[in-house]
């Protein structure tokens, strides 16, 4: 190991990592990046097949974003949002409100205000606190309780983790967390109500069911009303749940669930941390919609943005909410109605400048065309995976895909998680120069929007070879 590799081993504690395993391997030390390619200190190159953990949109070292950060740096890097305004944060807030505005919504229901923070978890934390306090203040719920979806992931601060529904992470959080209710996810491939036999296609397309999943959402709301009133909010990842294993929602699920929440006068928190900015959009049918919830015509009361907000260049997050929520916090000084919450780097000028450049790119014709092209190529290349018996389901929403590995596609029999098949496949991909991470037995592919057709072919080809290597067909 060289000096940098040794330094990491000696001092750095990595997130979500069993450090005993980490310390057995020589780490890959990333030194630079360009477009969809990462380069390490030994000069090896890799495709960034999960967009640097779901953050990067236009590729690394894009001149527009790098330039915007450099220009801002020549003025000032950061000034406080406590008691002071700044140009990029104000411009960005206006842009975010404009892009979140649905075509025909009632003014009270439109997103009108932006609260800045730093990460996905903090964006959720803000939404959670605002929703809980709003519910209390409007007399809808004395003891606010939230409803989220099975397998949900909303970040790792204590509040955001309480909304999460991944068993392993929940147990790790233990007694620090508060209670939330959960309801079944629309996981068509493994849905007990789906009567269809496995086919070589995305399970959402051939499923046979009666929307039992949304009936259960309805039942949860009814049960809640029977008790202490309403939920403070329904929290949902629109169109696709990321850390749950890229659980892609069948078309119409979000629309139905949104209508149920509205009918029960329950605010919706859209966690668009992974899905926003065209990542889980529809580049062909809805190229203007930069939020995934817009594709389903759902108007949330809160939208949480982070990962891709700056194009994946700097940590910055935003929580959008309505005028109605904002008004609940207005009052005279002595009334203590203020939202007592904030972070040192709230409204950071470098981050906001990067985000503005990101939005300029996203709304350009060239970027729209690039997303459409990438969506076509990705769909075509992913289809080649059906020839592998160990591929059970291939789920793609916009420019993000999950490939679920199984023992045998005919039975959907899962590969035992103890075998760490997802990790082994990703390690085999890394040896072929393609970097991504699995969620259990689901391999994630999330190309930066600049990935060329040849690179997409290489990425999917490396996945196919790695699956064949780790799970050879008998
Ligand atoms: C990544 C993620 C978060 C947490 O964001 P951080 O920036 O890692 O705190 C929250 N929600 C979703 C849907 C995510 O994918």
């Amino acid at each position: 190991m060289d000096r940098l590799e040794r330094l990491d081993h000696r001092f750095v504690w990595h997130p979500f990592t069993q450090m005993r395993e980490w310390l057995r391997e020589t780490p890959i030390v990333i030194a630079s990046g360009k477009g969809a390619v990462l380069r390490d200190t030994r000069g090896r190159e890799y495709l960034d097949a999960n967009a640097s953990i779901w953050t990067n949109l236009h590729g690394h070292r894009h001149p527009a974003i790098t330039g915007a950060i450099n220009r801002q740096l020549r003025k000032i890097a950061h000034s406080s949002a406590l008691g002071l305004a700044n140009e990029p944060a104000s411009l960005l807030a206006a842009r975010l409100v404009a892009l979140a505005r649905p075509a025909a919504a009632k003014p009270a229901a439109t997103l009108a205000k932006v609260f800045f923070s730093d990460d996905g978890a903090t964006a959720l934390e803000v939404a959670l606190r605002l929703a809980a306090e709003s519910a209390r203040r409007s007399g809808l719920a004395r003891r606010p309780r939230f409803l989220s979806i099975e397998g949900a992931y909303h970040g790792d601060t204590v509040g955001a983790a309480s909304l999460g529904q991944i068993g392993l992470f929940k147990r790790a959080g233990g007694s620090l967390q508060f209670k939330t209710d959960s309801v079944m996810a629309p996981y068509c491939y493994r849905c007990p109500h789906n009567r269809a036999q496995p086919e070589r296609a995305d399970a959402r397309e051939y499923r046979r069911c009666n929307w039992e999943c949304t009936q259960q959402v309805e039942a949860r709301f009814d049960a809640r009303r029977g008790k202490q009133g309403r939920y403070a909010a329904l929290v949902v990842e629109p169109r696709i749940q990321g850390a749950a294993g890229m659980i892609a929602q069948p078309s119409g699920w979000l629309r139905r669930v949104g209508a149920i929440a509205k009918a029960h006068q329950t605010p919706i928190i859209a966690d668009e941390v992974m899905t926003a900015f065209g990542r889980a959009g529809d580049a062909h049918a809805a190229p203007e919609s930069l939020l995934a919830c817009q594709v389903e015509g759902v108007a949330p009361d809160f939208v949480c943005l982070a990962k891709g907000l700056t194009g994946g260049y700097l940590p910055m997050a935003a929580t959008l909410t309505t005028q109605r929520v904002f008004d609940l916090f207005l009052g005279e000084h002595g009334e203590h109605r203020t939202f007592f919450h904030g972070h040192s780097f709230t409204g950071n000028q470098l981050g906001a400048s990067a985000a503005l450049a990101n939005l300029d790119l996203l709304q350009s014709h060239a970027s729209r065309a690039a997303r459409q092209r990438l969506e076509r190529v990705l769909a075509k290349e992913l289809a080649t995976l059906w020839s592998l018996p160990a591929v059970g389901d291939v789920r793609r929403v916009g420019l993000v895909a999950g490939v679920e590995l199984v023992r045998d596609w005919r039975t959907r029999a899962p590969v035992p998680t103890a075998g760490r098949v997802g990790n082994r496949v990703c390690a085999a991909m890394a040896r072929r120069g393609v970097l991504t991470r699995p969620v259990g037995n689901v391999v994630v592919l999330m190309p930066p929007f600049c990935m060329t057709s040849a690179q997409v072919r290489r990425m999917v080809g490396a996945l196919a070879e790695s699956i064949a290597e780790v799970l050879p067909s008998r």
Side-chain angles (χ1 to χ4, degrees), residues 40 47 55 73 101 179 189 234 274 414:
D40 73 7
L47 284 177
T55 58
L73 206 43
R101 184 166 295 145
K179 280 214 166 85
Y189 183 63
L234 165 73
M274 179 188 84

Side-chain angles (χ1 to χ4, degrees), residues 147-418:
L147 180 64
S148 50
I149 312 297
E150 270 171 21
Y153 177 75
H154 298 295
D156 291 319
T157 55
V158 172
S162 303
L163 296 174
Q165 303 291 355
I166 297 177
L168 187 64
F169 302 170
K170 259 201 129 49
R171 282 194 293 283
S175 60
L176 280 178
Q177 298 176 5
F178 56 83
K179 280 214 166 85
T180 46
D181 287 347
S182 70
V183 66
M184 84 179 288
Y187 187 1
C188 299
Y189 183 63
R190 297 207 174 277
C191 181
H193 305 291
N194 180 1
R195 299 182 309 277
Q197 289 306 308
E199 290 180 20
R200 301 317 272 152
D202 182 329
R204 293 174 295 167
E205 282 157 25
Y206 63 85
R207 74 187 198 280
R208 284 176 50 217
C209 69
N210 297 311
W211 287 103
E212 283 85 350
C213 54
T214 57
Q215 290 171 26
Q216 293 203 13
V217 174
E218 182 93 60
R220 269 284 179 289
F221 274 97
D222 287 340
R224 180 71 192 165
R225 199 156 58 179
K227 288 188 197 151
Q228 304 95 322
R230 302 195 174 89
Y231 284 115
L234 165 73
V235 192
V236 63
E237 296 163 73
R239 296 196 83 208
I240 181 165
Q241 287 180 279
M246 295 301 154
I247 307 301
Q249 299 154 10
S251 165
W253 181 85
L254 187 62
R255 191 183 296 273
R256 283 158 191 259
V257 166
I260 294 168
K262 293 277 174 203
H264 288 80
Q265 285 136 45
T266 301
I268 301 167
I269 299 177
D271 178 352
E272 295 251 7
V273 169
M274 179 188 84
T275 53
F277 306 117
R279 177 53 78 188
D282 186 328
H284 293 280
E288 312 286 329
S289 299
L290 289 181
L291 300 182
C293 59
Q294 292 170 330
V295 178
E296 287 264 322
V298 169
D301 304 81
F302 301 87
V303 171
C304 300
L305 303 170
K307 290 191 170 97
L309 174 59
T310 61
Y313 281 54
L314 289 165
M316 182 177 219
T319 305
L320 278 58
T321 191
T322 58
Q323 187 70 42
R324 195 189 66 77
V325 169
F326 181 78
D327 288 346
L328 285 169
F329 289 78
L330 298 179
E332 296 308 318
H333 183 77
E335 292 178 78
H336 304 301
R337 294 174 73 85
T338 308
F339 184 42
F340 292 106
H341 187 100
H343 303 279
S344 309
F345 284 100
T346 292
N348 175 256
Q349 301 213 39
L350 281 181
S353 299
L356 286 167
N358 169 41
L359 293 181
D360 286 342
L361 281 175
L362 282 168
Q363 289 170 332
S364 69
H365 281 295
S367 171
R368 244 173 250 156
R371 297 201 296 276
Q372 289 174 345
R373 179 195 52 76
L374 182 57
E375 206 176 290
R376 267 195 303 270
V377 177
L378 193 58
K380 178 164 160 261
E381 293 303 320
L382 287 173
T384 64
L385 296 173
W386 293 119
S387 65
L388 296 163
V391 168
D393 198 23
V394 180
R395 309 184 271 271
R396 181 185 61 82
V397 174
L399 300 173
V400 37
V403 178
E404 180 160 344
L405 304 172
V406 292
R407 241 186 356 231
D408 180 353
W409 73 267
R410 286 171 200 83
T411 59
R412 297 194 188 101
V415 279
T417 40

